[in-house]
PDB file of all heavy atoms in Angstrom:
ATOM      1  N   PRO A 191      46.341  -9.544  49.506  1.00  0.00           N
ATOM      2  CA  PRO A 191      47.368  -9.657  48.509  1.00  0.00           C
ATOM      3  C   PRO A 191      47.744  -8.246  47.922  1.00  0.00           C
ATOM      4  O   PRO A 191      46.919  -7.579  47.382  1.00  0.00           O
ATOM      5  CB  PRO A 191      46.840 -10.551  47.440  1.00  0.00           C
ATOM      6  CG  PRO A 191      45.243 -10.273  47.550  1.00  0.00           C
ATOM      7  CD  PRO A 191      45.042  -9.984  49.026  1.00  0.00           C
ATOM      8  N   VAL A 192      49.015  -7.924  48.024  1.00  0.00           N
ATOM      9  CA  VAL A 192      49.502  -6.643  47.498  1.00  0.00           C
ATOM     10  C   VAL A 192      50.589  -6.935  46.468  1.00  0.00           C
ATOM     11  O   VAL A 192      51.581  -7.605  46.727  1.00  0.00           O
ATOM     12  CB  VAL A 192      50.100  -5.762  48.626  1.00  0.00           C
ATOM     13  CG1 VAL A 192      50.679  -4.509  48.075  1.00  0.00           C
ATOM     14  CG2 VAL A 192      49.015  -5.448  49.673  1.00  0.00           C
ATOM     15  N   TYR A 193      50.352  -6.402  45.234  1.00  0.00           N
ATOM     16  CA  TYR A 193      51.341  -6.646  44.154  1.00  0.00           C
ATOM     17  C   TYR A 193      52.706  -6.063  44.488  1.00  0.00           C
ATOM     18  O   TYR A 193      52.801  -4.868  44.934  1.00  0.00           O
ATOM     19  CB  TYR A 193      50.801  -6.081  42.835  1.00  0.00           C
ATOM     20  CG  TYR A 193      49.772  -6.841  42.140  1.00  0.00           C
ATOM     21  CD1 TYR A 193      48.594  -6.308  41.662  1.00  0.00           C
ATOM     22  CD2 TYR A 193      50.033  -8.200  41.863  1.00  0.00           C
ATOM     23  CE1 TYR A 193      47.652  -7.104  41.003  1.00  0.00           C
ATOM     24  CE2 TYR A 193      49.114  -8.987  41.206  1.00  0.00           C
ATOM     25  CZ  TYR A 193      47.899  -8.456  40.752  1.00  0.00           C
ATOM     26  OH  TYR A 193      47.062  -9.193  40.039  1.00  0.00           O
ATOM     27  N   GLY A 194      53.753  -6.725  44.093  1.00  0.00           N
ATOM     28  CA  GLY A 194      55.135  -6.259  44.169  1.00  0.00           C
ATOM     29  C   GLY A 194      55.495  -5.791  45.555  1.00  0.00           C
ATOM     30  O   GLY A 194      55.270  -6.484  46.567  1.00  0.00           O
ATOM     31  N   ASP A 195      56.038  -4.567  45.586  1.00  0.00           N
ATOM     32  CA  ASP A 195      56.360  -4.011  46.925  1.00  0.00           C
ATOM     33  C   ASP A 195      55.275  -3.027  47.463  1.00  0.00           C
ATOM     34  O   ASP A 195      55.535  -2.378  48.481  1.00  0.00           O
ATOM     35  CB  ASP A 195      57.764  -3.256  46.791  1.00  0.00           C
ATOM     36  CG  ASP A 195      57.724  -2.056  45.814  1.00  0.00           C
ATOM     37  OD1 ASP A 195      56.686  -1.809  45.255  1.00  0.00           O
ATOM     38  OD2 ASP A 195      58.790  -1.427  45.672  1.00  0.00           O
ATOM     39  N   GLY A 196      54.210  -2.948  46.755  1.00  0.00           N
ATOM     40  CA  GLY A 196      53.156  -2.014  47.150  1.00  0.00           C
ATOM     41  C   GLY A 196      53.393  -0.558  46.911  1.00  0.00           C
ATOM     42  O   GLY A 196      52.623   0.278  47.325  1.00  0.00           O
ATOM     43  N   GLY A 197      54.478  -0.269  46.191  1.00  0.00           N
ATOM     44  CA  GLY A 197      54.821   1.112  45.941  1.00  0.00           C
ATOM     45  C   GLY A 197      54.191   1.813  44.720  1.00  0.00           C
ATOM     46  O   GLY A 197      54.510   2.913  44.420  1.00  0.00           O
ATOM     47  N   ASN A 198      53.316   1.064  44.055  1.00  0.00           N
ATOM     48  CA  ASN A 198      52.652   1.686  42.900  1.00  0.00           C
ATOM     49  C   ASN A 198      51.746   2.791  43.338  1.00  0.00           C
ATOM     50  O   ASN A 198      50.931   2.632  44.305  1.00  0.00           O
ATOM     51  CB  ASN A 198      51.812   0.607  42.184  1.00  0.00           C
ATOM     52  CG  ASN A 198      52.638  -0.477  41.674  1.00  0.00           C
ATOM     53  OD1 ASN A 198      53.018  -1.425  42.423  1.00  0.00           O
ATOM     54  ND2 ASN A 198      53.051  -0.507  40.390  1.00  0.00           N
ATOM     55  N   VAL A 199      51.860   3.981  42.710  1.00  0.00           N
ATOM     56  CA  VAL A 199      51.162   5.149  43.155  1.00  0.00           C
ATOM     57  C   VAL A 199      49.959   5.427  42.297  1.00  0.00           C
ATOM     58  O   VAL A 199      50.034   5.378  40.994  1.00  0.00           O
ATOM     59  CB  VAL A 199      52.104   6.351  43.113  1.00  0.00           C
ATOM     60  CG1 VAL A 199      51.331   7.659  43.458  1.00  0.00           C
ATOM     61  CG2 VAL A 199      53.294   6.158  44.060  1.00  0.00           C
ATOM     62  N   ARG A 200      48.811   5.763  42.828  1.00  0.00           N
ATOM     63  CA  ARG A 200      47.601   6.086  42.121  1.00  0.00           C
ATOM     64  C   ARG A 200      47.037   7.345  42.772  1.00  0.00           C
ATOM     65  O   ARG A 200      47.165   7.614  43.928  1.00  0.00           O
ATOM     66  CB  ARG A 200      46.524   4.918  42.215  1.00  0.00           C
ATOM     67  CG  ARG A 200      47.048   3.622  41.612  1.00  0.00           C
ATOM     68  CD  ARG A 200      47.220   3.708  40.177  1.00  0.00           C
ATOM     69  NE  ARG A 200      47.650   2.457  39.543  1.00  0.00           N
ATOM     70  CZ  ARG A 200      48.946   2.174  39.229  1.00  0.00           C
ATOM     71  NH1 ARG A 200      49.913   3.062  39.506  1.00  0.00           N
ATOM     72  NH2 ARG A 200      49.238   1.046  38.649  1.00  0.00           N
ATOM     73  N   ASP A 201      46.306   8.136  41.847  1.00  0.00           N
ATOM     74  CA  ASP A 201      45.644   9.387  42.301  1.00  0.00           C
ATOM     75  C   ASP A 201      44.148   8.897  42.566  1.00  0.00           C
ATOM     76  O   ASP A 201      43.445   8.633  41.609  1.00  0.00           O
ATOM     77  CB  ASP A 201      45.717  10.418  41.201  1.00  0.00           C
ATOM     78  CG  ASP A 201      44.953  11.659  41.543  1.00  0.00           C
ATOM     79  OD1 ASP A 201      44.337  11.779  42.647  1.00  0.00           O
ATOM     80  OD2 ASP A 201      44.896  12.578  40.695  1.00  0.00           O
ATOM     81  N   TRP A 202      43.733   8.825  43.772  1.00  0.00           N
ATOM     82  CA  TRP A 202      42.435   8.272  44.158  1.00  0.00           C
ATOM     83  C   TRP A 202      41.373   9.356  44.191  1.00  0.00           C
ATOM     84  O   TRP A 202      41.547  10.387  44.723  1.00  0.00           O
ATOM     85  CB  TRP A 202      42.533   7.550  45.534  1.00  0.00           C
ATOM     86  CG  TRP A 202      43.420   6.350  45.485  1.00  0.00           C
ATOM     87  CD1 TRP A 202      44.724   6.238  45.799  1.00  0.00           C
ATOM     88  CD2 TRP A 202      43.022   5.070  44.993  1.00  0.00           C
ATOM     89  NE1 TRP A 202      45.178   4.974  45.600  1.00  0.00           N
ATOM     90  CE2 TRP A 202      44.118   4.233  45.092  1.00  0.00           C
ATOM     91  CE3 TRP A 202      41.792   4.482  44.613  1.00  0.00           C
ATOM     92  CZ2 TRP A 202      44.127   2.922  44.779  1.00  0.00           C
ATOM     93  CZ3 TRP A 202      41.753   3.156  44.233  1.00  0.00           C
ATOM     94  CH2 TRP A 202      42.900   2.323  44.336  1.00  0.00           C
ATOM     95  N   ILE A 203      40.271   9.011  43.598  1.00  0.00           N
ATOM     96  CA  ILE A 203      39.129   9.939  43.502  1.00  0.00           C
ATOM     97  C   ILE A 203      37.804   9.222  43.887  1.00  0.00           C
ATOM     98  O   ILE A 203      37.577   8.088  43.468  1.00  0.00           O
ATOM     99  CB  ILE A 203      38.958  10.610  42.128  1.00  0.00           C
ATOM    100  CG1 ILE A 203      37.848  11.695  42.100  1.00  0.00           C
ATOM    101  CG2 ILE A 203      38.706   9.598  41.011  1.00  0.00           C
ATOM    102  CD1 ILE A 203      37.823  12.504  40.836  1.00  0.00           C
ATOM    103  N   HIS A 204      37.032   9.885  44.765  1.00  0.00           N
ATOM    104  CA  HIS A 204      35.721   9.274  45.121  1.00  0.00           C
ATOM    105  C   HIS A 204      34.800   9.289  43.889  1.00  0.00           C
ATOM    106  O   HIS A 204      34.802  10.248  43.133  1.00  0.00           O
ATOM    107  CB  HIS A 204      35.101   9.992  46.327  1.00  0.00           C
ATOM    108  CG  HIS A 204      33.902   9.335  46.829  1.00  0.00           C
ATOM    109  ND1 HIS A 204      32.640   9.461  46.368  1.00  0.00           N
ATOM    110  CD2 HIS A 204      33.818   8.377  47.829  1.00  0.00           C
ATOM    111  CE1 HIS A 204      31.805   8.728  47.056  1.00  0.00           C
ATOM    112  NE2 HIS A 204      32.508   8.079  47.950  1.00  0.00           N
ATOM    113  N   VAL A 205      34.063   8.166  43.720  1.00  0.00           N
ATOM    114  CA  VAL A 205      33.190   8.123  42.545  1.00  0.00           C
ATOM    115  C   VAL A 205      32.190   9.213  42.372  1.00  0.00           C
ATOM    116  O   VAL A 205      31.877   9.600  41.253  1.00  0.00           O
ATOM    117  CB  VAL A 205      32.481   6.696  42.557  1.00  0.00           C
ATOM    118  CG1 VAL A 205      31.483   6.585  43.692  1.00  0.00           C
ATOM    119  CG2 VAL A 205      31.820   6.404  41.227  1.00  0.00           C
ATOM    120  N   GLU A 206      31.722   9.780  43.453  1.00  0.00           N
ATOM    121  CA  GLU A 206      30.857  10.897  43.355  1.00  0.00           C
ATOM    122  C   GLU A 206      31.448  12.134  42.728  1.00  0.00           C
ATOM    123  O   GLU A 206      30.868  12.814  41.904  1.00  0.00           O
ATOM    124  CB  GLU A 206      30.202  11.301  44.694  1.00  0.00           C
ATOM    125  CG  GLU A 206      29.120  12.459  44.601  1.00  0.00           C
ATOM    126  CD  GLU A 206      28.584  12.829  45.946  1.00  0.00           C
ATOM    127  OE1 GLU A 206      28.703  12.020  46.881  1.00  0.00           O
ATOM    128  OE2 GLU A 206      27.992  13.971  46.038  1.00  0.00           O
ATOM    129  N   ASP A 207      32.694  12.404  43.109  1.00  0.00           N
ATOM    130  CA  ASP A 207      33.487  13.537  42.435  1.00  0.00           C
ATOM    131  C   ASP A 207      33.632  13.197  40.977  1.00  0.00           C
ATOM    132  O   ASP A 207      33.526  14.136  40.141  1.00  0.00           O
ATOM    133  CB  ASP A 207      34.859  13.648  43.109  1.00  0.00           C
ATOM    134  CG  ASP A 207      34.712  14.398  44.475  1.00  0.00           C
ATOM    135  OD1 ASP A 207      33.823  15.261  44.638  1.00  0.00           O
ATOM    136  OD2 ASP A 207      35.532  14.159  45.328  1.00  0.00           O
ATOM    137  N   HIS A 208      33.949  11.989  40.606  1.00  0.00           N
ATOM    138  CA  HIS A 208      34.066  11.626  39.228  1.00  0.00           C
ATOM    139  C   HIS A 208      32.777  11.824  38.480  1.00  0.00           C
ATOM    140  O   HIS A 208      32.729  12.439  37.367  1.00  0.00           O
ATOM    141  CB  HIS A 208      34.545  10.170  39.072  1.00  0.00           C
ATOM    142  CG  HIS A 208      34.716   9.776  37.643  1.00  0.00           C
ATOM    143  ND1 HIS A 208      34.809   8.447  37.300  1.00  0.00           N
ATOM    144  CD2 HIS A 208      34.829  10.474  36.481  1.00  0.00           C
ATOM    145  CE1 HIS A 208      34.959   8.354  35.957  1.00  0.00           C
ATOM    146  NE2 HIS A 208      34.981   9.523  35.470  1.00  0.00           N
ATOM    147  N   CYS A 209      31.709  11.368  39.064  1.00  0.00           N
ATOM    148  CA  CYS A 209      30.395  11.530  38.394  1.00  0.00           C
ATOM    149  C   CYS A 209      30.045  13.045  38.143  1.00  0.00           C
ATOM    150  O   CYS A 209      29.431  13.326  37.134  1.00  0.00           O
ATOM    151  CB  CYS A 209      29.271  10.862  39.164  1.00  0.00           C
ATOM    152  SG  CYS A 209      29.396   9.018  39.161  1.00  0.00           S
ATOM    153  N   ARG A 210      30.337  13.841  39.119  1.00  0.00           N
ATOM    154  CA  ARG A 210      30.071  15.272  38.896  1.00  0.00           C
ATOM    155  C   ARG A 210      30.944  15.896  37.875  1.00  0.00           C
ATOM    156  O   ARG A 210      30.563  16.837  37.163  1.00  0.00           O
ATOM    157  CB  ARG A 210      30.182  15.946  40.297  1.00  0.00           C
ATOM    158  CG  ARG A 210      29.107  15.578  41.327  1.00  0.00           C
ATOM    159  CD  ARG A 210      29.101  16.437  42.529  1.00  0.00           C
ATOM    160  NE  ARG A 210      28.075  15.992  43.457  1.00  0.00           N
ATOM    161  CZ  ARG A 210      26.784  16.289  43.320  1.00  0.00           C
ATOM    162  NH1 ARG A 210      26.332  17.003  42.329  1.00  0.00           N
ATOM    163  NH2 ARG A 210      25.945  15.909  44.227  1.00  0.00           N
ATOM    164  N   ALA A 211      32.120  15.358  37.701  1.00  0.00           N
ATOM    165  CA  ALA A 211      33.052  15.764  36.629  1.00  0.00           C
ATOM    166  C   ALA A 211      32.469  15.430  35.281  1.00  0.00           C
ATOM    167  O   ALA A 211      32.421  16.196  34.336  1.00  0.00           O
ATOM    168  CB  ALA A 211      34.430  15.189  36.795  1.00  0.00           C
ATOM    169  N   VAL A 212      31.945  14.171  35.132  1.00  0.00           N
ATOM    170  CA  VAL A 212      31.308  13.723  33.919  1.00  0.00           C
ATOM    171  C   VAL A 212      30.099  14.632  33.620  1.00  0.00           C
ATOM    172  O   VAL A 212      29.928  14.990  32.454  1.00  0.00           O
ATOM    173  CB  VAL A 212      30.923  12.225  34.044  1.00  0.00           C
ATOM    174  CG1 VAL A 212      30.006  11.808  32.834  1.00  0.00           C
ATOM    175  CG2 VAL A 212      32.127  11.369  34.113  1.00  0.00           C
ATOM    176  N   LEU A 213      29.334  14.878  34.585  1.00  0.00           N
ATOM    177  CA  LEU A 213      28.160  15.738  34.415  1.00  0.00           C
ATOM    178  C   LEU A 213      28.563  17.175  33.916  1.00  0.00           C
ATOM    179  O   LEU A 213      27.952  17.716  32.996  1.00  0.00           O
ATOM    180  CB  LEU A 213      27.407  15.857  35.726  1.00  0.00           C
ATOM    181  CG  LEU A 213      25.995  16.555  35.639  1.00  0.00           C
ATOM    182  CD1 LEU A 213      25.069  15.860  34.642  1.00  0.00           C
ATOM    183  CD2 LEU A 213      25.431  16.507  37.041  1.00  0.00           C
ATOM    184  N   ALA A 214      29.601  17.745  34.507  1.00  0.00           N
ATOM    185  CA  ALA A 214      30.110  19.028  34.069  1.00  0.00           C
ATOM    186  C   ALA A 214      30.579  19.055  32.576  1.00  0.00           C
ATOM    187  O   ALA A 214      30.304  19.961  31.849  1.00  0.00           O
ATOM    188  CB  ALA A 214      31.249  19.451  34.991  1.00  0.00           C
ATOM    189  N   VAL A 215      31.316  18.003  32.201  1.00  0.00           N
ATOM    190  CA  VAL A 215      31.725  17.848  30.825  1.00  0.00           C
ATOM    191  C   VAL A 215      30.626  17.626  29.873  1.00  0.00           C
ATOM    192  O   VAL A 215      30.553  18.208  28.786  1.00  0.00           O
ATOM    193  CB  VAL A 215      32.823  16.741  30.731  1.00  0.00           C
ATOM    194  CG1 VAL A 215      33.196  16.529  29.203  1.00  0.00           C
ATOM    195  CG2 VAL A 215      34.019  17.083  31.519  1.00  0.00           C
ATOM    196  N   ALA A 216      29.645  16.815  30.248  1.00  0.00           N
ATOM    197  CA  ALA A 216      28.420  16.533  29.425  1.00  0.00           C
ATOM    198  C   ALA A 216      27.712  17.873  29.177  1.00  0.00           C
ATOM    199  O   ALA A 216      27.288  18.082  27.994  1.00  0.00           O
ATOM    200  CB  ALA A 216      27.568  15.557  30.168  1.00  0.00           C
ATOM    201  N   GLU A 217      27.615  18.698  30.160  1.00  0.00           N
ATOM    202  CA  GLU A 217      26.820  19.919  29.967  1.00  0.00           C
ATOM    203  C   GLU A 217      27.619  21.108  29.499  1.00  0.00           C
ATOM    204  O   GLU A 217      26.999  22.057  28.935  1.00  0.00           O
ATOM    205  CB  GLU A 217      26.142  20.217  31.309  1.00  0.00           C
ATOM    206  CG  GLU A 217      25.212  19.212  31.776  1.00  0.00           C
ATOM    207  CD  GLU A 217      24.515  19.473  33.104  1.00  0.00           C
ATOM    208  OE1 GLU A 217      25.111  20.111  34.009  1.00  0.00           O
ATOM    209  OE2 GLU A 217      23.353  19.117  33.281  1.00  0.00           O
ATOM    210  N   GLY A 218      28.913  21.123  29.678  1.00  0.00           N
ATOM    211  CA  GLY A 218      29.666  22.324  29.268  1.00  0.00           C
ATOM    212  C   GLY A 218      30.949  22.113  28.558  1.00  0.00           C
ATOM    213  O   GLY A 218      31.617  23.113  28.181  1.00  0.00           O
ATOM    214  N   GLY A 219      31.373  20.828  28.355  1.00  0.00           N
ATOM    215  CA  GLY A 219      32.659  20.632  27.728  1.00  0.00           C
ATOM    216  C   GLY A 219      32.674  21.105  26.179  1.00  0.00           C
ATOM    217  O   GLY A 219      31.641  21.056  25.593  1.00  0.00           O
ATOM    218  N   LYS A 220      33.838  21.464  25.756  1.00  0.00           N
ATOM    219  CA  LYS A 220      33.977  21.909  24.301  1.00  0.00           C
ATOM    220  C   LYS A 220      34.112  20.672  23.408  1.00  0.00           C
ATOM    221  O   LYS A 220      34.850  19.722  23.700  1.00  0.00           O
ATOM    222  CB  LYS A 220      35.223  22.811  24.191  1.00  0.00           C
ATOM    223  CG  LYS A 220      35.165  24.109  25.041  1.00  0.00           C
ATOM    224  CD  LYS A 220      36.412  24.943  24.846  1.00  0.00           C
ATOM    225  CE  LYS A 220      36.312  26.208  25.705  1.00  0.00           C
ATOM    226  NZ  LYS A 220      37.556  27.024  25.551  1.00  0.00           N
ATOM    227  N   PRO A 221      33.417  20.667  22.294  1.00  0.00           N
ATOM    228  CA  PRO A 221      33.428  19.534  21.345  1.00  0.00           C
ATOM    229  C   PRO A 221      34.912  19.239  20.938  1.00  0.00           C
ATOM    230  O   PRO A 221      35.682  20.146  20.670  1.00  0.00           O
ATOM    231  CB  PRO A 221      32.623  20.026  20.165  1.00  0.00           C
ATOM    232  CG  PRO A 221      31.705  21.070  20.765  1.00  0.00           C
ATOM    233  CD  PRO A 221      32.464  21.749  21.833  1.00  0.00           C
ATOM    234  N   GLY A 222      35.194  17.982  20.885  1.00  0.00           N
ATOM    235  CA  GLY A 222      36.519  17.434  20.468  1.00  0.00           C
ATOM    236  C   GLY A 222      37.546  17.520  21.536  1.00  0.00           C
ATOM    237  O   GLY A 222      38.733  17.176  21.321  1.00  0.00           O
ATOM    238  N   ARG A 223      37.175  17.873  22.750  1.00  0.00           N
ATOM    239  CA  ARG A 223      38.126  18.072  23.850  1.00  0.00           C
ATOM    240  C   ARG A 223      38.244  16.799  24.714  1.00  0.00           C
ATOM    241  O   ARG A 223      37.309  16.025  24.854  1.00  0.00           O
ATOM    242  CB  ARG A 223      37.679  19.166  24.782  1.00  0.00           C
ATOM    243  CG  ARG A 223      37.882  20.564  24.265  1.00  0.00           C
ATOM    244  CD  ARG A 223      39.277  21.018  24.391  1.00  0.00           C
ATOM    245  NE  ARG A 223      39.350  22.378  24.907  1.00  0.00           N
ATOM    246  CZ  ARG A 223      40.506  23.069  25.128  1.00  0.00           C
ATOM    247  NH1 ARG A 223      41.616  22.445  24.843  1.00  0.00           N
ATOM    248  NH2 ARG A 223      40.471  24.322  25.501  1.00  0.00           N
ATOM    249  N   VAL A 224      39.539  16.632  25.279  1.00  0.00           N
ATOM    250  CA  VAL A 224      39.714  15.646  26.301  1.00  0.00           C
ATOM    251  C   VAL A 224      39.804  16.427  27.605  1.00  0.00           C
ATOM    252  O   VAL A 224      40.452  17.483  27.698  1.00  0.00           O
ATOM    253  CB  VAL A 224      40.987  14.868  26.036  1.00  0.00           C
ATOM    254  CG1 VAL A 224      41.331  13.995  27.242  1.00  0.00           C
ATOM    255  CG2 VAL A 224      40.900  14.085  24.762  1.00  0.00           C
ATOM    256  N   TYR A 225      39.216  15.840  28.684  1.00  0.00           N
ATOM    257  CA  TYR A 225      39.290  16.382  30.003  1.00  0.00           C
ATOM    258  C   TYR A 225      39.813  15.355  31.015  1.00  0.00           C
ATOM    259  O   TYR A 225      39.210  14.336  31.209  1.00  0.00           O
ATOM    260  CB  TYR A 225      37.960  16.893  30.459  1.00  0.00           C
ATOM    261  CG  TYR A 225      37.449  18.123  29.701  1.00  0.00           C
ATOM    262  CD1 TYR A 225      36.732  17.949  28.543  1.00  0.00           C
ATOM    263  CD2 TYR A 225      37.646  19.464  30.190  1.00  0.00           C
ATOM    264  CE1 TYR A 225      36.247  19.058  27.817  1.00  0.00           C
ATOM    265  CE2 TYR A 225      37.194  20.504  29.385  1.00  0.00           C
ATOM    266  CZ  TYR A 225      36.531  20.375  28.251  1.00  0.00           C
ATOM    267  OH  TYR A 225      36.082  21.386  27.536  1.00  0.00           O
ATOM    268  N   ASN A 226      40.989  15.655  31.644  1.00  0.00           N
ATOM    269  CA  ASN A 226      41.503  14.812  32.708  1.00  0.00           C
ATOM    270  C   ASN A 226      40.800  15.110  34.000  1.00  0.00           C
ATOM    271  O   ASN A 226      40.455  16.266  34.310  1.00  0.00           O
ATOM    272  CB  ASN A 226      43.013  15.119  32.865  1.00  0.00           C
ATOM    273  CG  ASN A 226      43.792  14.437  31.826  1.00  0.00           C
ATOM    274  OD1 ASN A 226      43.335  13.617  30.989  1.00  0.00           O
ATOM    275  ND2 ASN A 226      45.132  14.797  31.759  1.00  0.00           N
ATOM    276  N   VAL A 227      40.533  13.992  34.793  1.00  0.00           N
ATOM    277  CA  VAL A 227      39.852  14.153  36.054  1.00  0.00           C
ATOM    278  C   VAL A 227      40.569  13.456  37.145  1.00  0.00           C
ATOM    279  O   VAL A 227      40.827  12.272  37.080  1.00  0.00           O
ATOM    280  CB  VAL A 227      38.405  13.582  35.940  1.00  0.00           C
ATOM    281  CG1 VAL A 227      37.682  13.722  37.315  1.00  0.00           C
ATOM    282  CG2 VAL A 227      37.636  14.192  34.757  1.00  0.00           C
ATOM    283  N   GLY A 228      41.045  14.187  38.107  1.00  0.00           N
ATOM    284  CA  GLY A 228      41.781  13.623  39.238  1.00  0.00           C
ATOM    285  C   GLY A 228      41.580  14.458  40.521  1.00  0.00           C
ATOM    286  O   GLY A 228      40.987  15.546  40.438  1.00  0.00           O
ATOM    287  N   ALA A 229      41.940  13.896  41.674  1.00  0.00           N
ATOM    288  CA  ALA A 229      41.615  14.536  42.939  1.00  0.00           C
ATOM    289  C   ALA A 229      42.931  14.986  43.667  1.00  0.00           C
ATOM    290  O   ALA A 229      42.827  15.406  44.802  1.00  0.00           O
ATOM    291  CB  ALA A 229      40.890  13.539  43.801  1.00  0.00           C
ATOM    292  N   SER A 230      44.090  14.887  43.017  1.00  0.00           N
ATOM    293  CA  SER A 230      45.325  15.256  43.614  1.00  0.00           C
ATOM    294  C   SER A 230      45.518  14.552  44.970  1.00  0.00           C
ATOM    295  O   SER A 230      45.895  15.139  45.962  1.00  0.00           O
ATOM    296  CB  SER A 230      45.429  16.812  43.822  1.00  0.00           C
ATOM    297  OG  SER A 230      45.300  17.461  42.544  1.00  0.00           O
ATOM    298  N   SER A 231      45.173  13.235  44.931  1.00  0.00           N
ATOM    299  CA  SER A 231      45.248  12.423  46.200  1.00  0.00           C
ATOM    300  C   SER A 231      46.101  11.221  45.876  1.00  0.00           C
ATOM    301  O   SER A 231      45.624  10.092  45.885  1.00  0.00           O
ATOM    302  CB  SER A 231      43.843  12.002  46.660  1.00  0.00           C
ATOM    303  OG  SER A 231      43.097  13.105  47.057  1.00  0.00           O
ATOM    304  N   GLU A 232      47.408  11.454  45.623  1.00  0.00           N
ATOM    305  CA  GLU A 232      48.344  10.378  45.297  1.00  0.00           C
ATOM    306  C   GLU A 232      48.649   9.594  46.557  1.00  0.00           C
ATOM    307  O   GLU A 232      49.017  10.202  47.563  1.00  0.00           O
ATOM    308  CB  GLU A 232      49.636  10.851  44.661  1.00  0.00           C
ATOM    309  CG  GLU A 232      49.449  11.484  43.254  1.00  0.00           C
ATOM    310  CD  GLU A 232      50.773  11.963  42.741  1.00  0.00           C
ATOM    311  OE1 GLU A 232      51.689  11.206  42.644  1.00  0.00           O
ATOM    312  OE2 GLU A 232      50.924  13.223  42.448  1.00  0.00           O
ATOM    313  N   ARG A 233      48.605   8.292  46.415  1.00  0.00           N
ATOM    314  CA  ARG A 233      48.941   7.401  47.494  1.00  0.00           C
ATOM    315  C   ARG A 233      49.503   6.128  46.907  1.00  0.00           C
ATOM    316  O   ARG A 233      49.099   5.593  45.902  1.00  0.00           O
ATOM    317  CB  ARG A 233      47.739   7.011  48.401  1.00  0.00           C
ATOM    318  CG  ARG A 233      47.045   8.188  49.092  1.00  0.00           C
ATOM    319  CD  ARG A 233      47.872   8.747  50.184  1.00  0.00           C
ATOM    320  NE  ARG A 233      47.078   9.700  50.931  1.00  0.00           N
ATOM    321  CZ  ARG A 233      46.754  10.913  50.667  1.00  0.00           C
ATOM    322  NH1 ARG A 233      47.136  11.391  49.486  1.00  0.00           N
ATOM    323  NH2 ARG A 233      46.084  11.675  51.419  1.00  0.00           N
ATOM    324  N   GLU A 234      50.527   5.580  47.634  1.00  0.00           N
ATOM    325  CA  GLU A 234      51.011   4.264  47.292  1.00  0.00           C
ATOM    326  C   GLU A 234      49.915   3.241  47.641  1.00  0.00           C
ATOM    327  O   GLU A 234      49.147   3.480  48.599  1.00  0.00           O
ATOM    328  CB  GLU A 234      52.258   3.877  48.029  1.00  0.00           C
ATOM    329  CG  GLU A 234      53.529   4.674  47.564  1.00  0.00           C
ATOM    330  CD  GLU A 234      54.753   4.201  48.260  1.00  0.00           C
ATOM    331  OE1 GLU A 234      54.672   3.379  49.166  1.00  0.00           O
ATOM    332  OE2 GLU A 234      55.843   4.716  47.890  1.00  0.00           O
TER     333      GLU A 234
END
C-alpha cells in the first residue's frame, strides 16, 4: 500500500548514522541548541 501518488519526499538516514549523531550532540553539543540530522538522501 502506497499513500496517494507515492510522490511524498523524505530524506532517508540509516539508524546507525542517526545514533552516531545523537552521540556527537550528547558529548559535544552546545547547551540550548537544536541540531538537525539528515543524510541528504531525498527520495520519493
